[in-house]
Amino acid sequence: MSSTTVELTKENFDQTVTDNGFVLIDFWASWCGPCKQFAPVYEKAAEANPDLVFGKIDTEAQPELASAFGIQSIPTLMIVRDQVAVFAQPGALPQEALDDVIGQARKLDMDEVRKSIAEQQAKAGEDGAGGAGGADSAQA
């Protein structure tokens, strides 16, 4: 970890996401070649965006967090704004793509995002597709 990134664990994850309106999360593992290739790109983005929180989750050390978010391949980048996951994509992004994703996430109207989520949840409820899902139900 560098001084620009934060190691996220099951102990500090909720607090980090609650206290910060914009958190980027890199799910990685030490044995993962593409993760090692993505690390300097992620660090450079962290240095260029000091107003955002750049977190890293070692999927080997934090299997509960990886499982809670359904991470099946690494590296996976996730962006959480106002406690809502607004982006998740596996694969090592090149610098330009990462910069573009950050820019798009910055421009999101979170009121519109929450409204859209509420509408989707209401529709899912009408379709009988309810149930206990989501990251909260996976945490012990």
Side-chain angles (χ1 to χ4, degrees), residues 22-56:
F22 198 124
V23 182
L24 292 94
I25 304 167
D26 174 21
F27 290 88
W28 69 286
S30 60
W31 52 262
C32 167
C35 298
K36 291 179 182 177
Q37 292 174 327
F38 182 58
V41 172
Y42 193 70
E43 293 292 336
K44 186 174 177 185
E47 290 168 9
N49 296 277
D51 59 317
L52 307 180
V53 174
F54 283 72
K56 293 179 76 75

Side-chain angles (χ1 to χ4, degrees), residues 4-139:
T4 54
T5 58
V6 177
E7 181 176 1
L8 296 176
T9 66
K10 63 183 181 180
E11 290 78 22
N12 71 357
F13 181 85
D14 288 340
Q15 190 72 44
T16 301
V17 171
T18 301
D19 290 351
N20 298 282
F22 198 124
V23 182
L24 292 94
I25 304 167
D26 174 21
F27 290 88
W28 69 286
S30 60
W31 52 262
C32 167
C35 298
K36 291 179 182 177
Q37 292 174 327
F38 182 58
V41 172
Y42 193 70
E43 293 292 336
K44 186 174 177 185
E47 290 168 9
N49 296 277
D51 59 317
L52 307 180
V53 174
F54 283 72
K56 293 179 76 75
I57 295 177
D58 180 345
T59 57
E60 294 291 303
Q62 301 296 322
E64 300 92 343
L65 284 175
S67 176
F69 288 100
I71 302 302
Q72 296 186 1
S73 72
I74 52 174
T76 290
L77 176 68
M78 182 175 289
I79 298 177
V80 179
R81 277 205 52 203
D82 299 342
Q83 302 177 42
V84 176
V86 296
F87 178 85
Q89 179 178 311
L93 296 175
Q95 192 72 55
E96 301 78 33
L98 178 57
D99 293 342
D100 184 53
V101 166
I102 292 169
Q104 289 182 44
R106 282 184 184 275
K107 293 177 189 169
L108 285 174
D109 178 337
M110 290 309 294
D111 290 332
E112 285 296 317
V113 170
R114 282 188 284 277
K115 181 179 170 189
S116 175
I117 290 170
E119 289 169 358
Q120 290 173 4
Q121 289 173 339
K123 184 174 182 342
E126 291 169 11
D127 294 342
D136 290 340
S137 63
Q139 294 178 357

